[in-house]
DNA sequence: AAATTCTCCTGAAGGC
DNA sequence: TGCCTTCAGGAGAATT
């Protein structure tokens, strides 16, 4: 599933193809996504020029003179650049036609989104309450420690809360907590500043190395095949229930925290 | 206010 | 082989 690293990889992959390009038309085949795409979006988008391709959290933001297009890949979404016509499959919900190339959105589970806003994106309801980007200096130990003060929620749910920090999905939450030796179930308000400093750098480390893997996907971005190696990430605990802990050898445990599968070592993580 | 539960959807995996 | 059930998951909305 697209995590922040893959959204960033997608951004870098599509940007050179669509920056400065004029939208000939939006072909909307399936408007029922996470939110129903307004029927007038194709007419609003026609003729707009893409001036910027940015990312905020897991949202892709295509800036045009008339407004901004927000795209979210949800659980199963992907964007591809097509340079020649290719018959759409059943889950190819929209194409943005730039004349000599298309940006095609595919999303089998339809948890993704396509939205349009004419207001500044920073004030958009979906973005305004978002916490800092994980790879920015705004995410640091003191910040997390301060945010967690007085709260009793499990630290894993805490770091997956987009109001605290964005882009830490279920997989990377387990990985970052393992790297920093913190038990995912520990109340977030009962963790020292020093441990939060370690957690902040673990989050950055795990996301940064995943972005570097995303670079592999980037190279054959045009391939039909999808994401070679994407699932072959060096995961230490995620999905490894029963496997030996890479550090101490005890079996990795699995438990649901906040309706999400969580993986950890009960000896190495306290 | 904070925390938990519900919801959208379909492909994959497991059971029989 | 194939049908049926269960589960996973991002994140906003609803509920407690």
């Amino acid at each position: 599933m697209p995590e922040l690293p893959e959204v960033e990889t997608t951004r870098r992959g599509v940007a050179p193809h669509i920056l400065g390009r004029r939208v000939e038309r939006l072909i909307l085949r399936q408007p029922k996504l996470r939110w129903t795409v307004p029927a007038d979006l194709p007419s609003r988008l026609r003729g707009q020029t893409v001036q910027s391709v940015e990312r905020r959290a897991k949202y892709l933001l295509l800036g045009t003179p008339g407004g901004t297009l927000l795209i979210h890949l949800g659980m199963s979404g992907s964007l591809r650049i097509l340079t020649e016509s290719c018959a759409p499959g059943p889950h190819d919900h929209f194409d943005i036609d730039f004349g000599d190339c298309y940006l095609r959105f595919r999303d089998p589970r339809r948890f993704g989104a396509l939205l349009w806003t004419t207001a500044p994106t920073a004030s958009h309801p979906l973005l305004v309450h978002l916490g800092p980007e994980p790879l920015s200096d705004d995410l640091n130990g003191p910040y997390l420690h301060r945010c967690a003060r007085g709260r009793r929620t499990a630290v894993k749910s805490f770091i997956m809360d987009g109001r605290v920090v964005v882009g830490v999905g279920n997989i990377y939450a387990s990985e970052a907590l393992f790297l920093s030796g913190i038990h995912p179930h520990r109340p977030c308000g009962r963790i020292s500043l020093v441990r939060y400093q370690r957690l902040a750098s673990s989050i950055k480390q795990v996301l940064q190395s995943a972005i570097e893997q995303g670079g592999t996907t980037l190279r054959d971005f045009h391939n039909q095949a999808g994401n070679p190696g994407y699932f072959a990430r060096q995961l230490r605990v995620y999905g490894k229930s029963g496997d030996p802990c890479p550090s101490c050898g005890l079996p990795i445990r699995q438990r649901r925290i906040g309706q999400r599968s969580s993986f950890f070592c009960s000896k190495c993580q306290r």
Side-chain angles (χ1 to χ4, degrees):
Chain A
M1 64 290 318
E3 300 267 357
L4 182 145
E6 191 171 84
V7 177
E8 178 61 20
T9 299
T10 297
R11 187 190 70 79
R12 295 177 189 182
V14 303
H17 295 92
I18 66 176
L19 261 178
R21 306 301 311 281
R22 180 175 177 276
V23 176
E24 297 285 320
R25 56 183 179 147
L26 169 65
I27 302 163
L28 187 58
R29 303 185 191 85
Q30 171 56 279
K32 289 186 71 176
L33 301 177
R34 176 76 159 83
W35 294 280
T36 299
V37 180
D40 66 348
L41 185 56
S43 63
R44 284 172 175 270
L45 199 56
R46 184 188 302 271
Q48 296 287 341
T49 297
V50 176
Q51 293 179 310
S52 61
V53 180
E54 294 171 345
R55 179 187 60 74
R56 174 71 175 110
K58 296 179 189 172
Y59 291 91
L60 284 169
L61 311 174
L62 309 194
T64 79
T68 303
L69 204 57
L70 282 73
I71 299 174
H72 197 289
L73 301 178
M75 288 279 312
S76 57
S78 63
L79 286 170
R80 284 198 303 147
I81 297 288
L82 298 174
T83 51
E84 51 193 84
S85 77
C86 172
H91 304 304
D92 291 334
H93 304 314
F94 67 81
D95 292 345
I96 301 176
D97 179 1
F98 291 99
D100 58 1
C101 78
Y102 293 80
L103 183 64
R104 173 163 289 179
F105 177 84
R106 174 176 297 183
D107 184 12
R109 294 184 190 177
R110 284 197 269 139
F111 282 16
L114 177 66
L115 299 160
W116 175 254
T117 179
T118 53
T121 52
S123 63
H124 191 278
L126 288 172
L127 306 182
V128 71
H129 296 298
L130 292 178
E133 288 289 324
L135 296 174
S136 75
D137 292 341
D138 294 339
L139 177 72
N140 53 52
Y143 167 79
L144 288 177
H145 189 247
R146 202 180 331 121
C147 269
R149 190 173 301 154
R151 295 181 60 179
R152 284 170 292 278
T153 194
V155 62
K156 175 159 181 281
S157 303
F158 172 69
I159 60 172
M160 290 180 65
D161 182 342
R163 292 165 298 186
V164 174
V165 54
V166 302
V168 181
N170 196 42
I171 294 172
Y172 294 121
S174 278
E175 294 294 309
L177 287 165
F178 175 78
L179 284 182
S180 48
I182 299 171
H183 194 291
H185 202 251
R186 174 169 285 274
C188 66
R190 302 289 306 275
I191 295 173
S192 69
L193 171 59
V194 168
R195 302 188 82 199
Y196 269 125
Q197 287 172 327
R198 198 178 311 149
L199 179 56
S201 49
S202 296
I203 289 170
K204 292 170 195 288
Q205 180 188 329
V206 80
L207 291 176
Q208 190 59 55
S209 87
I211 286 175
E212 283 155 20
Q213 288 185 50
T216 309
T217 308
L218 190 57
R219 254 175 277 149
D220 38 41
F221 194 75
H222 301 270
N223 280 9
Q224 300 275 27
N227 311 309
Y230 179 68
F231 294 103
R233 293 191 195 120
Q234 320 84 316
L235 297 175
R236 292 170 174 85
V237 292
Y238 185 84
K240 309 255 181 211
S241 185
D243 286 7
C245 164
S247 179
C248 78
L250 283 182
I252 296 298
R253 295 201 179 181
Q254 177 173 6
R255 191 198 292 184
R256 285 183 85 76
I257 298 173
Q259 310 305 109
R260 289 289 177 267
S261 290
S262 310
F263 300 85
F264 60 94
C265 172
S266 56
K267 183 178 177 193
C268 298
Q269 295 174 254
R270 299 293 172 134

